[in-house]
């Protein structure tokens, strides 16, 4: 994805993260550009991973599953923490 006609993958990644609508979506580079500098640049732009071609499709699928599972766990932890704080605050306000 780093080499595209209109803009390169780095520019595309930058555009994705500049907008409000898509910045929460995990971004993974799939590219033949495998230099350390390219990997670092992609990750510094906010990509969650940088996978070099050729790659095994099962590895990509497993990484995506893992990323989505971790995001789900984080979301559940935040919701649980906020919910417990809400109930705690309600109980404390009823006492006063």
């Amino acid at each position: 994805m780093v080499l595209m006609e209109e803009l390169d993958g780095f520019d595309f990644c930058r555009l994705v993260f500049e907008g409000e609508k898509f910045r929460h979506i995990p971004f993974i580079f799939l590219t033949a550009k495998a230099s350390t500098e390219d990997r670092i640049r992609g990750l510094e732009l906010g990509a969650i991973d940088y996978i070099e071609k050729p790659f095994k499709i099962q590895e990509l699928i497993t990484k995506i599953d893992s990323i989505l599972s971790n995001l789900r766990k984080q979301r559940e932890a935040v919701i649980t923490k906020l919910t417990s704080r809400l109930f705690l605050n309600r109980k404390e306000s009823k006492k006063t």
Side-chain angles (χ1 to χ4, degrees), residues 54-70:
F55 60 90
K56 300 210 182 305
I57 193 69
Q58 188 57 47
E59 180 181 3
L60 175 61
I61 291 169
T62 302
K63 283 186 179 201
I64 292 170
D65 286 343
S66 177
I67 290 166
L68 294 175
S69 174
N70 285 326

Side-chain angles (χ1 to χ4, degrees), residues 11-76:
D11 292 332
F12 181 73
C13 183
R14 190 177 300 104
L15 286 172
V16 167
F17 288 121
E18 282 176 2
E20 293 285 326
K21 191 172 183 180
F22 301 112
R23 76 170 56 161
H24 66 283
I25 297 172
F27 194 98
I28 299 173
F29 276 94
L30 301 175
T31 181
K33 293 187 80 176
S35 74
T36 300
E37 292 81 18
D38 288 328
R39 291 178 61 83
I40 290 170
R41 183 175 175 200
L43 295 170
E44 284 178 343
L45 285 171
I48 199 162
D49 206 346
Y50 194 101
I51 301 174
E52 302 158 11
K53 293 178 184 177
F55 60 90
K56 300 210 182 305
I57 193 69
Q58 188 57 47
E59 180 181 3
L60 175 61
I61 291 169
T62 302
K63 283 186 179 201
I64 292 170
D65 286 343
S66 177
I67 290 166
L68 294 175
S69 174
N70 285 326
L71 288 172
R72 196 169 20 261
K73 289 174 189 173
Q74 289 174 359
R75 185 177 57 246
E76 289 169 0

Side-chain angles (χ1 to χ4, degrees), residues 78-95:
V78 167
I79 290 170
T80 300
K81 191 171 189 175
L82 288 174
T83 303
S84 67
R85 282 188 181 174
L86 252 172
F87 286 123
L88 183 62
N89 287 341
R90 281 186 181 174
K91 286 180 182 179
E92 287 178 3
S93 66
K94 287 181 181 181
K95 289 179 183 178

